[in-house]
């Protein structure tokens, strides 16, 4: 039913996602209600579909963001720390920041500097206090390598498909910690994987759903696509 979740307003979209059973928790409902997609997807913000944001990047469909937040919510509690790889427009970074609260932090990483500027300006328009307090930080860098300077992280979200799971990201997870990542190639099937690291550092992978994401690649290849 995900494709039926489009609406004319942000709260209408969120209510449709809840009615469809994709949003199941009060934490995710609240976070997505507080972050208005019009600041992050200016063309058709409340359509439940992926949209281009320029520079060879897209903002995922709202239902995929809702799934990500639901699977990660146990690791986005107040005071926790998260990494958003391929943070794009900054939308999901802001939703995650809403969930970790004033004492938490979310780092968004992008290898396209123009997207870092875009996401920063988007959050300034929606929740400037996230940036002013340091609750949200955007950095330019290779997301496949993560951002160890601020790690380790309670959870990591990856917004582009890796051919295989980057070990650098697994290494930056806390014990326990969780990662939500699409894995697969552009030409073949992709699936979202939930990767859990337990308190002893043991890794468990679970395939959640089939998807189609843009590839997790380097800046030069991405710039060659636009």
């Amino acid at each position: 039913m995900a494709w039926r979740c489009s609406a004319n307003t942000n709260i209408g979209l969120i209510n449709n996602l809840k009615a469809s059973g994709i949003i199941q928790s009060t934490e995710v409902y609240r976070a997505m209600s507080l972050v208005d997609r019009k600041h992050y997807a200016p063309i058709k913000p409340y359509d439940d579909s992926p949209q281009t944001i320029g520079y060879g990047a897209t903002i995922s469909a709202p239902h995929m963001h809702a799934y990500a937040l639901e699977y990660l919510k146990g690791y986005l509690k107040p005071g926790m720390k998260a990494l958003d790889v391929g943070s794009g427009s900054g939308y999901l970074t802001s939703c995650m920041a809403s969930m970790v609260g004033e004492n938490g932090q979310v780092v968004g990483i992008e290898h396209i500097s123009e997207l870092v500027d875009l996401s920063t300006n988007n959050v300034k328009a929606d929740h400037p206090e996230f940036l002013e307090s340091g609750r949200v930080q955007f950095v330019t860098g290779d997301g496949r390598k993560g951002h160890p300077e601020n790690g380790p992280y309670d959870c990591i979200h990856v917004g582009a498909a890796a051919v295989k799971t980057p070990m650098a990201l697994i290494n930056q997870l806390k014990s326990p910690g969780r990662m939500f990542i699409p894995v697969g190639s552009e030409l073949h099937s992709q699936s979202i994987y939930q990767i859990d690291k337990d308190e002893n550092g043991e890794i468990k992978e679970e395939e959640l759903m089939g998807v189609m994401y843009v590839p997790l690649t380097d800046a030069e290849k991405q710039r060659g696509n636009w």
Side-chain angles (χ1 to χ4, degrees):
M1 291 181 64
W3 60 274
R4 300 181 183 176
C5 294
S6 298
N8 295 319
T9 63
N10 194 64
I11 194 62
L13 170 65
I14 306 312
N15 283 335
N16 287 345
L17 289 166
K18 180 181 178 181
S20 72
I22 298 171
I23 293 179
Q24 299 183 358
S25 65
T26 56
E27 304 101 303
V28 173
Y29 182 90
R30 180 179 181 275
M32 294 186 74
S33 297
L34 290 174
V35 179
D36 196 328
R37 281 180 71 92
K38 73 179 182 182
H39 297 292
Y40 306 87
I43 298 174
K44 294 181 178 180
Y46 310 125
D47 275 12
D48 192 17
S49 62
Q51 296 178 39
T52 180
I53 54 173
Y55 312 103
T58 60
I59 177 173
S60 296
H63 70 269
M64 286 309 306
H65 284 147
Y67 277 128
L69 293 171
E70 285 288 349
Y71 280 107
L72 294 173
K73 67 178 182 289
Y75 300 84
L76 288 169
K77 294 185 180 298
M80 288 186 169
K81 186 181 294 185
L83 177 66
D84 186 15
V85 175
S87 46
S89 70
Y91 172 76
L92 192 67
T93 317
S94 288
C95 290
M96 296 167 84
S98 178
M99 293 176 73
V100 300
E102 295 180 358
N103 296 319
Q105 185 185 46
V106 185
V107 177
I109 185 167
E110 266 291 345
H111 53 210
I112 303 296
S113 60
E114 292 91 338
L115 287 175
V116 172
D117 294 339
L118 173 68
S119 58
T120 300
N121 289 332
N122 290 344
V123 177
K124 281 182 180 178
D126 191 26
H127 284 284
E129 72 277 11
F130 288 175
L131 296 167
E132 293 163 1
S133 65
R135 193 193 308 192
V136 166
Q137 178 184 353
F138 291 108
V139 297
T140 303
D142 188 340
R144 296 169 298 183
K145 299 177 181 179
H147 191 65
E149 293 88 338
N150 288 66
Y153 303 96
D154 295 282
C155 70
I156 298 175
H157 168 267
V158 183
V163 176
K164 59 180 180 179
T165 306
M167 282 305 302
L169 297 181
I170 290 178
N171 291 338
Q172 289 171 46
L173 276 177
K174 289 184 181 180
S175 296
R178 174 171 291 178
M179 179 158 56
F180 181 96
I181 180 171
V183 179
S185 71
E186 279 187 288
L187 302 177
H188 300 90
S189 62
Q190 299 175 0
S191 293
I192 293 288
Y193 282 83
Q194 175 180 295
I195 299 177
D196 287 318
K197 180 187 285 188
D198 69 17
E199 57 275 5
N200 298 314
E202 296 295 322
I203 303 299
K204 178 183 177 182
E205 298 187 7
E206 180 181 354
E207 185 175 1
L208 301 178
M209 68 191 84
V211 291
M212 183 55 67
Y213 275 66
V214 297
L216 186 65
T217 185
D218 57 49
E220 183 178 353
K221 287 182 180 178
Q222 185 166 330
R223 287 185 182 277
N225 291 329
W226 52 273

